[in-house]
Amino acid sequence: MTDDLTTRAINTIRFLSADAVQQANSGHPGLPMGAAAMAFTLWTHHLRHNPRNPKWPGRDRFILSGGHGSMLLYSLLHLTGYDLSLDELKNFRQWESRTPGHPEYGLTPGVETTTGPLGQGFATGVGMAIAREHLAAKFSPDLFDYYIYGIVTDGDLMEGISSEAASLAGHLQLSHLIYLYDDNRISIDGSTDLAFTEDRAARFAAYGWFVQKVDDGNNIDAVDAAIQAAKIHSQPSLILCRTHIGFGAPHKQDTAKAHGEPLGDDELNAAKQNLGWPLEPRFYIPEDVLAFYRESVERGRKFESEWQSNFDAYKKEHPDPGAELERRLKGELPQGWEAALPAFPADPKGMATRASSGKVLAALSNIIPELVGGSADLTPSNDTKFDGAGDFEKDNLAGRYFHFGVREHAMGAALNGMTLHGGVIPYGGTFLIFSDYMKPAIRIAAISHIPSIFVFTHDSVGLGEDGPTHQPIEHLAALRAVPNLTVIRPADANEVVQAWKFAIANRRGPTVLALTRQAVPTFQPSNFPTVEKGAYVLASFGKRKPDIILMASGSEVSLIYEAAKKLAEEEYSVRVVSFPSWQLFEQQDDEYKEAVLPRRVKRRLAVEAGASLGWERYVGLDGKIIGIDRYGASAPYKTIFEHLGFTVENVIAEAKELLK
Amino acid sequence: MTDDLTTRAINTIRFLSADAVQQANSGHPGLPMGAAAMAFTLWTHHLRHNPRNPKWPGRDRFILSGGHGSMLLYSLLHLTGYDLSLDELKNFRQWESRTPGHPEYGLTPGVETTTGPLGQGFATGVGMAIAREHLAAKFSPDLFDYYIYGIVTDGDLMEGISSEAASLAGHLQLSHLIYLYDDNRISIDGSTDLAFTEDRAARFAAYGWFVQKVDDGNNIDAVDAAIQAAKIHSQPSLILCRTHIGFGAPHKQDTAKAHGEPLGDDELNAAKQNLGWPLEPRFYIPEDVLAFYRESVERGRKFESEWQSNFDAYKKEHPDPGAELERRLKGELPQGWEAALPAFPADPKGMATRASSGKVLAALSNIIPELVGGSADLTPSNDTKFDGAGDFEKDNLAGRYFHFGVREHAMGAALNGMTLHGGVIPYGGTFLIFSDYMKPAIRIAAISHIPSIFVFTHDSVGLGEDGPTHQPIEHLAALRAVPNLTVIRPADANEVVQAWKFAIANRRGPTVLALTRQAVPTFQPSNFPTVEKGAYVLASFGKRKPDIILMASGSEVSLIYEAAKKLAEEEYSVRVVSFPSWQLFEQQDDEYKEAVLPRRVKRRLAVEAGASLGWERYVGLDGKIIGIDRYGASAPYKTIFEHLGFTVENVIAEAKELLK
């Protein structure tokens, strides 16, 4: 291609993006204009993708971590032939368009992950690179010989999550991770001199990354050479490209004015004049430019068909691993995996639900080889490691267990990245209190409808001596309020089994398991599908129409069960409802809900060792809640439970108040 | 002192700590045993503190960022003469002791900040160092010539919040911040080789820190020399001290076994034998060791009295600043500051509550010179900067405005640190969605009862085009569930005034202000104290006993107000309740609550552009909620509101359903 075509191809990205922002009267023109040349270089010289099959497993991944520059990505997707029409670009940031303000996974073909909250894309890419290493080591380096590319911004590098993820990536020496840093030195407040003057190159070198600098991010030969060099280095790569936000805009380039608002008609026209671009029509794409970009379609078909041949040959040569790999890449579970789920006999002493969770994982680990997981440095506490997992480390990339370090936020995003990558079913553990440290990543999973699994142990003041700083109070309520997140707090070992069954089968969104540190009794196993209904009648004492309904989740279920037995001795009719998941209960039909919580029974008592907020939904204004609306305490857990009213006696007393 | 006394003084710390953990049968002996020598050096050679007046403003601050090693701090506090008896140490981790599992501010004298959730202490110290620089620049370097010291751990350095805070500290070249890194190479999962192999020294040098290494953390001369060197460098300092977790324990030293559990009687005894310590009694403190540590009391008295003389001289020489400083250090507000609060005339067009918030800040900035604030790189969006604030930068440390960068988590902790330091009233702004990124720091403020102020704008889908990744849904519910956190979502400019009035006057806990991006009408100003009551009757139409109560917060109040007017035209009696704060409403007496929400009125409709979770508390099972239990959308905000049912018509329709 000629230099002129190149220049026009780059300017097409710039002005498609700036025009869309102008038309929407909202958005960020600066990033696409500044990063257009480096994106062009990556997408036309390197990226192996198939616009007509965005889900092809052998593709390179591209992540725009600075999701506010979404028009850069939408322009590239349209130009290279994805199913994203020019009308969609003209509908940027409009109701039900496929071009929302920030890229959303599942909505727009070719968007590999939802970005916008800064740092998430950066860390999610690390998860993708982890999954790639794992599958390459497990099956075939050739089949997984692709790269995770990203464009990352000042804001991404300032966020702590990126630091965590970068440290982890360096530790693991992830070899196929290449990030271009759009080093434009402008953030919303103004120059990065105001807040961000660290030596970024030295910092990433300290993490163990291969670091290069490109003095002029518009120099496509230099960007190209740096990407080439990055590919042959078996370390994660950061390429610092000095760019200019709003490149070409005569008054706004290199200023925060180009960041978060349209250029305005005058400045937009002036930029077009400046770069020799026709003022009209808006959304102008020269024919030869489009033809050039659309070569990606044919190239993509070839990439995929070559890969498919390799895959076919692999399957022929290695039929068993080949079949397993094919199944895993399709996201199908092994036939009959549920048969491996254990059943626990009734046991008044029981065990902690973190412990039964560990047993379930052990039972599933053989039959589901794609089950991989880890912990943010709480492995012995979270019970997340199964025998034979093997540590995933740079010299053991086939290992199935991840030591994420004390990096909850990066763990959350890495789980998302692995989930998005496919071929693995990842879970990650920490204490429920530290769900706070990774909440933005949990939300990305939920909004993206991806099935990351979060294992949160030590789920109440029942953890005891560690005290208030480690005792979750508001966390169940907070997580329950997240749309499309299923929170399950199982009451005993058999509910844990069902919770895991749900989490693994659920491919439509993330699941949180909230598990105890302390032992809880195991109830008589039920043949009824209980957890997946969200709430169910665990036991009934007395008449068919109960005088009172006691409901609880997790460790408090045994409490209401014991209380109900005693109330029954006093001739009360009591229904005991185990309530492991609000979200799942809400999905049931009215008939089922009415069967569990009949409207005519107004006396209702909910018991949960956490914030009471929200339980009114089930007990109403006439009911009562034994919850914890204060901070916990440092003491042996039985002492804490006693002082905070989590005793059989207090449940009986509160129930009798209601029964008066 | 003799070498022997030194050794025994250090071993006293080791074994007081290990004995307490053993007695509690819970806790972390490894850190205190490994870090005893460096802590000894810092506390006896450097730390200028007064055990008998832990609040003396001129003291050095000490932060144990690895709060799990709490017994190290409790031992030091007891030994140097704070009001913390040996019985308290023996009651480690017991109900209502002052020695909980992790150090809690406000509970134990000498604990400067609540730690345990890793990274919080590190970043909080950065905030203290910021406040120190500011006051030194504003008033007198001599009066604020003290240091912020900390002991930080592997886990602290792995957490993203520390990276953010370290980058900020390096950028600002905070001169009096000195952290000793307990480089013991062991975390809960095992060796740090499993997950944490970055070049920590190079990383901190890249942030602009002065970095030193001490090869043997038990070498007190080397530690001493490094602290000396750190003091004369005008940069933040990190001293990497190679230590040995569980030092002295023959089988558990340098293993994760020394981390999170008692040594066990045998190993504890073996460690004592190993280090030449008597096996009995437990909690043994040699008399001469105690006498030596208790010299801190007399030294502390002198430190304080010298400082007080300096302060008296300063006040004499500079009466006005002196009086201001004295007032600020006492935490008293200027007399008559409320008179500066603006009042906004009724205005159907109104303005965004972020804009009225900006006007309130401008109005208060002169009369409250201790009001300082900033934003996590969203200054123009948050409206957090007032005229004449001046940027706080290394060459302008008297500036009152902080550019925190895209570092919400560090901002949250830095606000806490400034608040704890005293002399300033800090606030920080970001979008409500990004409260997720800083939630752990918000929680630390709430659990510590400290009055950090969090300004969260763009508080609903009303932010429009940025779309679902930026639109808070569950966030109000999540924050409302946090004990001791006051969340206020004002409906108009005058509620904003009162919200700020509350936030500034409230010294018992943190306040969140949730503010709109979009304009809302200004209602007729009221003389009644409204916001501080949490909810109040904004308007009544028709009969005294309403047919229905409409309630809402923030931008939805004008919606129910308009709907009520129209319903009144149809002869319905309607009460309009503005509900800016659940927490404040819950604090009212039953009479007030009943007056606002009379029990006899069962028809209740709540309207809020966020998760419905929790509103059942006020509408009951018979009421209705117009909320948002899905993700938002990218579009102009009026379009979104229309599609999601936030229209006068829909409020009327839902109200009529209830009225049927």
Side-chain angles (χ1 to χ4, degrees), chain A residues 24-26 28 93-96 99-104 114-120 155 158-161 163-164 167-168 171 187-190 192-199 202-203 206-207 375 377-381 391 393 401-409 433-434 436-437 439-440 443 446-447 465-475 477-478 480-484 582 602 604 611-614 616-622 629-631 633-636 639-640 643-644, chain B residues 24-26 28 93-96 99-104 114-120 155 158-161 163-164 167-168 171 187-190 192-199 202-203 206-207 375 377-381 391 393 401-409 433-434 436-437 439-440 443 446-447 465-475 477-478 480-484 582 602 604 611-614 616-622 629-631 633-636 639-640 643-644:
Chain A
N25 196 26
S26 171
H28 300 255
R93 292 183 163 229
Q94 303 308 305
W95 183 260
E96 290 194 340
T99 48
H102 296 80
E104 294 177 32
T114 298
T115 54
L118 290 168
Q120 296 297 329
M158 280 190 260
E159 290 285 7
I161 182 177
S163 304
E164 295 178 8
S167 177
L168 182 63
H171 168 76
S187 69
I188 287 177
D189 273 12
T192 52
D193 286 347
L194 288 170
F196 189 46
T197 50
E198 62 175 45
D199 183 340
R203 176 180 143 210
Y207 293 138
S375 164
D377 197 45
L378 287 169
T379 297
S381 299
D391 288 342
E393 293 286 352
Y401 195 77
F402 305 103
H403 294 282
F404 289 108
V406 189
R407 304 184 185 104
E408 299 85 5
H409 205 173
I433 189 97
F434 300 133
D436 276 353
Y437 273 73
K439 168 65 179 18
R443 191 174 209 263
I447 204 169
E465 291 89 344
D466 268 354
T469 57
H470 284 55
Q471 290 164 342
I473 296 291
E474 69 274 22
H475 301 79
R480 284 169 179 154
V482 179
N484 198 40
W582 294 11
K602 300 283 185 199
R604 300 171 174 205
S612 60
L613 189 93
E616 288 91 351
R617 179 167 293 178
Y618 303 111
V619 303
L621 296 179
D622 302 321
D629 293 314
R630 50 159 279 180
Y631 290 99
S634 174
T639 309
I640 301 172
H643 281 279
L644 300 185
Chain B
N25 196 26
S26 170
H28 300 255
R93 293 185 162 227
Q94 302 308 306
W95 182 260
E96 290 194 340
T99 48
H102 296 80
E104 295 177 32
T114 298
T115 54
L118 291 168
Q120 297 297 328
M158 280 190 259
E159 290 285 6
I161 182 176
S163 304
E164 295 178 8
S167 177
L168 182 63
H171 167 76
S187 68
I188 287 177
D189 274 12
T192 52
D193 286 347
L194 288 171
F196 188 46
T197 50
E198 61 174 45
D199 182 340
R203 175 179 143 211
Y207 293 138
S375 166
D377 196 44
L378 288 170
T379 297
S381 299
D391 288 341
E393 293 287 351
Y401 195 76
F402 305 102
H403 294 283
F404 289 107
V406 189
R407 305 185 185 102
E408 298 84 5
H409 205 173
I433 189 97
F434 300 132
D436 276 352
Y437 273 73
K439 168 66 181 13
R443 191 174 208 264
I447 205 170
E465 291 88 345
D466 269 354
T469 57
H470 284 57
Q471 291 165 342
I473 297 292
E474 68 274 23
H475 300 78
R480 283 170 179 153
V482 179
N484 197 40
W582 293 13
K602 300 283 185 199
R604 299 171 175 205
S612 60
L613 188 93
E616 289 91 352
R617 177 166 293 178
Y618 303 110
V619 302
L621 295 179
D622 302 320
D629 293 315
R630 48 160 279 181
Y631 289 100
S634 173
T639 308
I640 301 172
H643 281 278
L644 299 185

Side-chain angles (χ1 to χ4, degrees), chain B residues 75-153:
Chain B
S75 297
L76 287 161
L77 291 172
H78 171 70
L79 291 169
T80 57
Y82 284 78
D83 179 19
L84 191 70
S85 70
L86 192 59
D87 279 345
E88 290 284 0
L89 269 57
K90 291 178 180 171
N91 258 323
F92 181 51
R93 293 185 162 227
Q94 302 308 306
W95 182 260
E96 290 194 340
S97 78
R98 291 204 285 172
T99 48
H102 296 80
E104 295 177 32
Y105 175 78
L107 179 69
T108 314
V111 170
E112 298 279 6
T113 182
T114 298
T115 54
L118 291 168
Q120 297 297 328
F122 185 113
T124 301
V126 170
M128 292 180 184
I130 287 173
R132 194 212 65 80
E133 297 278 3
H134 179 71
L135 294 173
K138 197 100 184 177
F139 295 97
S140 152
D142 287 349
L143 289 175
F144 295 94
D145 185 25
Y146 48 75
Y147 292 87
I148 317 299
Y149 294 107
I151 290 182
V152 304
T153 62

Side-chain angles (χ1 to χ4, degrees), chain A residues 79 186 355 478 527 537 650:
Chain A
L79 290 169
I186 294 293
N527 291 322
V537 180
N650 190 48

Side-chain angles (χ1 to χ4, degrees), chain A residues 378-418:
Chain A
L378 287 169
T379 297
S381 299
N382 297 146
D383 255 315
T384 33
K385 191 167 183 179
F386 52 84
D387 277 352
D391 288 342
F392 179 89
E393 293 286 352
K394 64 186 176 206
D395 53 4
N396 185 35
L397 295 164
R400 289 167 64 187
Y401 195 77
F402 305 103
H403 294 282
F404 289 108
V406 189
R407 304 184 185 104
E408 299 85 5
H409 205 173
M411 174 173 77
L415 294 174
N416 293 344
M418 288 189 246

Side-chain angles (χ1 to χ4, degrees), chain A residues 595-633:
Chain A
V596 177
L597 301 177
R599 222 159 305 179
R600 66 183 190 281
V601 185
K602 300 283 185 199
R603 289 164 174 143
R604 300 171 174 205
L605 174 62
V607 184
E608 189 174 69
S612 60
L613 189 93
W615 275 107
E616 288 91 351
R617 179 167 293 178
Y618 303 111
V619 303
L621 296 179
D622 302 321
K624 282 198 171 212
I625 305 159
I626 301 178
I628 307 180
D629 293 314
R630 50 159 279 180
Y631 290 99

